[in-house]
PDB file of all heavy atoms in Angstrom:
ATOM      1  N   ALA A 255      17.161 -14.029  11.067  1.00  0.00           N
ATOM      2  CA  ALA A 255      17.507 -13.256  12.174  1.00  0.00           C
ATOM      3  C   ALA A 255      16.749 -13.540  13.432  1.00  0.00           C
ATOM      4  O   ALA A 255      17.102 -13.208  14.539  1.00  0.00           O
ATOM      5  CB  ALA A 255      17.262 -11.783  11.801  1.00  0.00           C
ATOM      6  N   GLY A 256      15.716 -14.336  13.230  1.00  0.00           N
ATOM      7  CA  GLY A 256      14.722 -14.489  14.359  1.00  0.00           C
ATOM      8  C   GLY A 256      14.910 -15.833  15.022  1.00  0.00           C
ATOM      9  O   GLY A 256      15.919 -16.530  14.854  1.00  0.00           O
ATOM     10  N   VAL A 257      13.871 -16.187  15.762  1.00  0.00           N
ATOM     11  CA  VAL A 257      13.948 -17.469  16.484  1.00  0.00           C
ATOM     12  C   VAL A 257      13.617 -18.683  15.583  1.00  0.00           C
ATOM     13  O   VAL A 257      13.958 -19.793  15.951  1.00  0.00           O
ATOM     14  CB  VAL A 257      13.047 -17.414  17.692  1.00  0.00           C
ATOM     15  CG1 VAL A 257      13.591 -16.443  18.766  1.00  0.00           C
ATOM     16  CG2 VAL A 257      11.648 -17.009  17.297  1.00  0.00           C
ATOM     17  N   THR A 258      12.939 -18.409  14.580  1.00  0.00           N
ATOM     18  CA  THR A 258      12.519 -19.499  13.744  1.00  0.00           C
ATOM     19  C   THR A 258      13.694 -19.917  12.802  1.00  0.00           C
ATOM     20  O   THR A 258      14.550 -19.073  12.461  1.00  0.00           O
ATOM     21  CB  THR A 258      11.323 -19.167  12.813  1.00  0.00           C
ATOM     22  OG1 THR A 258      11.563 -17.943  12.207  1.00  0.00           O
ATOM     23  CG2 THR A 258      10.138 -19.137  13.723  1.00  0.00           C
ATOM     24  N   ASN A 259      13.692 -21.122  12.355  1.00  0.00           N
ATOM     25  CA  ASN A 259      14.835 -21.660  11.596  1.00  0.00           C
ATOM     26  C   ASN A 259      14.329 -22.033  10.167  1.00  0.00           C
ATOM     27  O   ASN A 259      13.745 -23.030   9.960  1.00  0.00           O
ATOM     28  CB  ASN A 259      15.375 -22.941  12.246  1.00  0.00           C
ATOM     29  CG  ASN A 259      16.504 -23.469  11.470  1.00  0.00           C
ATOM     30  OD1 ASN A 259      17.073 -22.796  10.681  1.00  0.00           O
ATOM     31  ND2 ASN A 259      16.714 -24.787  11.690  1.00  0.00           N
ATOM     32  N   ARG A 260      14.496 -21.101   9.260  1.00  0.00           N
ATOM     33  CA  ARG A 260      13.953 -21.313   7.952  1.00  0.00           C
ATOM     34  C   ARG A 260      14.949 -20.834   6.942  1.00  0.00           C
ATOM     35  O   ARG A 260      15.967 -20.207   7.237  1.00  0.00           O
ATOM     36  CB  ARG A 260      12.629 -20.573   7.731  1.00  0.00           C
ATOM     37  CG  ARG A 260      11.434 -21.166   8.460  1.00  0.00           C
ATOM     38  CD  ARG A 260      10.222 -20.452   8.209  1.00  0.00           C
ATOM     39  NE  ARG A 260      10.398 -19.057   8.706  1.00  0.00           N
ATOM     40  CZ  ARG A 260       9.406 -18.290   8.919  1.00  0.00           C
ATOM     41  NH1 ARG A 260       8.163 -18.607   8.671  1.00  0.00           N
ATOM     42  NH2 ARG A 260       9.653 -17.057   9.375  1.00  0.00           N
ATOM     43  N   ASN A 261      14.610 -21.044   5.681  1.00  0.00           N
ATOM     44  CA  ASN A 261      15.503 -20.546   4.627  1.00  0.00           C
ATOM     45  C   ASN A 261      15.403 -19.037   4.488  1.00  0.00           C
ATOM     46  O   ASN A 261      14.418 -18.412   4.991  1.00  0.00           O
ATOM     47  CB  ASN A 261      15.016 -21.079   3.261  1.00  0.00           C
ATOM     48  CG  ASN A 261      15.279 -22.599   3.213  1.00  0.00           C
ATOM     49  OD1 ASN A 261      16.235 -23.089   3.877  1.00  0.00           O
ATOM     50  ND2 ASN A 261      14.568 -23.338   2.397  1.00  0.00           N
ATOM     51  N   PHE A 262      16.420 -18.430   3.803  1.00  0.00           N
ATOM     52  CA  PHE A 262      16.501 -17.123   3.698  1.00  0.00           C
ATOM     53  C   PHE A 262      15.289 -16.526   2.850  1.00  0.00           C
ATOM     54  O   PHE A 262      15.001 -17.117   1.786  1.00  0.00           O
ATOM     55  CB  PHE A 262      17.773 -16.730   2.980  1.00  0.00           C
ATOM     56  CG  PHE A 262      17.913 -15.302   2.556  1.00  0.00           C
ATOM     57  CD1 PHE A 262      18.169 -14.341   3.450  1.00  0.00           C
ATOM     58  CD2 PHE A 262      17.664 -14.977   1.235  1.00  0.00           C
ATOM     59  CE1 PHE A 262      18.294 -13.032   3.005  1.00  0.00           C
ATOM     60  CE2 PHE A 262      17.728 -13.663   0.777  1.00  0.00           C
ATOM     61  CZ  PHE A 262      18.065 -12.654   1.719  1.00  0.00           C
ATOM     62  N   ASP A 263      14.648 -15.459   3.289  1.00  0.00           N
ATOM     63  CA  ASP A 263      13.737 -14.759   2.490  1.00  0.00           C
ATOM     64  C   ASP A 263      14.041 -13.271   2.528  1.00  0.00           C
ATOM     65  O   ASP A 263      14.361 -12.748   3.564  1.00  0.00           O
ATOM     66  CB  ASP A 263      12.246 -14.922   3.037  1.00  0.00           C
ATOM     67  CG  ASP A 263      11.763 -16.357   2.772  1.00  0.00           C
ATOM     68  OD1 ASP A 263      11.830 -16.794   1.711  1.00  0.00           O
ATOM     69  OD2 ASP A 263      11.327 -16.965   3.834  1.00  0.00           O
ATOM     70  N   THR A 264      13.907 -12.698   1.358  1.00  0.00           N
ATOM     71  CA  THR A 264      14.222 -11.195   1.391  1.00  0.00           C
ATOM     72  C   THR A 264      13.031 -10.458   1.931  1.00  0.00           C
ATOM     73  O   THR A 264      11.877 -10.898   1.954  1.00  0.00           O
ATOM     74  CB  THR A 264      14.406 -10.708  -0.062  1.00  0.00           C
ATOM     75  OG1 THR A 264      13.375 -11.107  -0.873  1.00  0.00           O
ATOM     76  CG2 THR A 264      15.706 -11.254  -0.592  1.00  0.00           C
ATOM     77  N   SER A 265      13.200  -9.216   2.472  1.00  0.00           N
ATOM     78  CA  SER A 265      12.134  -8.395   2.920  1.00  0.00           C
ATOM     79  C   SER A 265      12.470  -6.913   2.550  1.00  0.00           C
ATOM     80  O   SER A 265      13.515  -6.667   2.086  1.00  0.00           O
ATOM     81  CB  SER A 265      11.920  -8.540   4.420  1.00  0.00           C
ATOM     82  OG  SER A 265      12.701  -7.680   5.117  1.00  0.00           O
ATOM     83  N   LEU A 266      11.453  -6.126   2.625  1.00  0.00           N
ATOM     84  CA  LEU A 266      11.621  -4.761   2.264  1.00  0.00           C
ATOM     85  C   LEU A 266      12.532  -3.870   3.027  1.00  0.00           C
ATOM     86  O   LEU A 266      13.292  -3.050   2.495  1.00  0.00           O
ATOM     87  CB  LEU A 266      10.244  -4.056   2.088  1.00  0.00           C
ATOM     88  CG  LEU A 266       9.221  -4.627   1.171  1.00  0.00           C
ATOM     89  CD1 LEU A 266       8.170  -3.594   0.913  1.00  0.00           C
ATOM     90  CD2 LEU A 266       9.851  -5.110  -0.147  1.00  0.00           C
TER      91      LEU A 266
END
Side-chain angles (χ1 to χ4, degrees):
V257 289
T258 49
N259 179 22
R260 284 180 301 197
N261 290 334
F262 170 79
D263 288 308
T264 52
S265 86
L266 295 200

